[in-house]
Amino acid sequence: MTESHRLIERMNPDEHVTTFVTGENQKANEYFMNSSDKIRYFFEEDAVGSDGSLLKNKHTALNKIGHALHWFSPEYKKFTFSKEIQDVARDIVGFKKPVVVQSMIIFKPPNIGAKVEPHQDLTYLYTNPPKLTGFWLALEDATLENGCMWFVPGSHKDGIKARYRRTPDKDSLKMAYDGAQPSPNEDEWVSAPVPKGSLVLIDGAVVHKSEKNLSDKSRQIYTFHVAESENTKWDELNWLQPTAELSFPELFR
């Protein structure tokens, strides 16, 4: 978390006052869409006033930092490409030629950390055939009170319910949903509180969510997504795309 603090310290909020929400209200703008090769900052809606000014200290106002921490932050790069992560990707997930497509610190700040709506990661980061895994590291305890993850067991077998695509073509900055997001019954959900230091693997097709943090403790995590590149195609209509400055780096470097 020292690295997270360093990143926030050097950030001027006046240059980055963009909010982030999930689900049907997710915004697509140039700042967000062109962040695959940058480190960019996204604030909680409840931390920004109607005039665009911050209502809270910048250290407790952020929703997330993304999306190329795995390459431009030395500390997170070291972890992402560590032998331990490579072994998990190879031996547990079964990747052959994986690439890292994005990374984020998600803060879930006290009292205002927004809920994450039910979704499947492949909705946003689609590959054909589908082969995507999220690596989710708890930098603090994730509890029921501060917004731990919830999953629908077995939902990874039910196909991808929706796609979030560039429209009308790959050069567009406009995004649209094709299909309806999953809406499981309440009794299908299973909570997944974990202690600090836990690594959670999230299949790209599993339905998951987290609730709003109404506690006085943050729930900071580091997460990155890994996609198969062997005999697999990254969808050109995904919001996230490799660039000339940063192609998706191979995990097994």
Side-chain angles (χ1 to χ4, degrees):
M1 290 176 60
T2 301
E3 174 67 356
S4 303
H5 183 86
R6 183 188 71 82
L7 289 166
I8 299 172
E9 275 293 295
R10 74 180 191 182
M11 178 265 293
N12 179 357
D14 293 337
E15 299 174 357
H16 301 277
V17 182
T18 297
T19 58
F20 183 81
V21 295
T22 65
E24 296 296 330
N25 294 321
Q26 182 164 324
K27 299 174 183 175
N29 55 30
E30 186 279 333
Y31 185 86
F32 172 75
M33 298 281 284
N34 293 332
S35 61
S36 67
D37 57 3
K38 300 173 181 66
I39 294 177
R40 288 191 162 168
Y41 301 78
F42 303 86
F43 290 89
E44 293 284 357
E45 279 199 319
D46 289 349
V48 179
S50 58
D51 61 353
S53 62
L54 282 187
L55 303 176
K56 293 182 174 290
N57 181 285
K58 65 179 182 178
H59 285 275
T60 58
L62 283 166
N63 175 286
K64 70 175 183 176
I65 301 175
H67 291 94
L69 293 159
H70 60 280
W71 199 251
F72 295 116
S73 165
E75 183 173 321
Y76 289 115
K77 183 177 184 179
K78 180 179 179 181
F79 174 78
T80 303
F81 294 93
S82 66
K83 183 180 184 301
E84 291 80 3
I85 292 296
Q86 292 174 342
D87 289 346
V88 169
R90 180 184 297 107
D91 301 334
I92 296 179
V93 184
F95 279 118
K96 303 300 183 184
K97 191 178 180 182
V99 293
V100 182
V101 299
Q102 71 157 357
S103 51
M104 301 176 284
I105 306 165
I106 300 176
F107 291 94
K108 280 274 190 186
N111 304 307
I112 64 169
K115 71 182 294 184
V116 175
E117 299 289 347
H119 69 285
Q120 299 165 293
D121 290 343
L122 277 160
T123 291
Y124 303 94
L125 307 171
Y126 191 75
T127 66
N128 187 19
K131 183 62 175 178
L132 180 84
T133 299
F135 288 65
W136 192 96
L137 176 69
L139 300 177
E140 299 176 295
D141 292 344
T143 67
L144 289 171
E145 293 74 26
N146 69 5
C148 70
M149 300 274 278
W150 291 72
F151 295 92
V152 176
S155 56
H156 64 292
K157 301 176 183 179
D158 296 335
I160 309 306
K161 304 302 182 183
R163 292 282 311 284
Y164 188 59
R165 293 170 163 151
R166 293 175 184 251
T167 182
D169 56 46
K170 65 183 180 65
D171 297 318
S172 175
L173 293 181
K174 181 180 178 182
M175 302 295 298
Y177 283 96
D178 179 4
Q181 293 277 41
S183 55
N185 297 323
E186 286 302 314
D187 61 0
E188 296 182 76
W189 291 102
V190 174
S191 62
V194 294
K196 175 182 177 180
S198 300
L199 179 67
V200 180
L201 300 178
I202 305 173
D203 186 281
V206 73
V207 178
H208 58 291
K209 68 174 183 176
S210 65
E211 297 297 333
K212 185 170 183 175
N213 182 6
L214 298 176
S215 77
D216 60 359
K217 295 182 179 179
S218 61
R219 192 228 64 184
Q220 189 176 151
I221 64 98
Y222 171 64
T223 185
F224 58 95
H225 284 92
V226 177
E228 183 60 77
S229 67
E230 183 174 283
N231 301 320
T232 305
K233 183 179 179 182
W234 183 258
D235 198 296
E236 64 179 10
L237 297 182
N238 288 337
W239 74 266
L240 183 82
Q241 295 295 329
T243 68
E245 290 74 23
L246 181 63
S247 182
F248 296 152
E250 293 186 13
L251 181 60
F252 300 158
R253 299 169 60 241

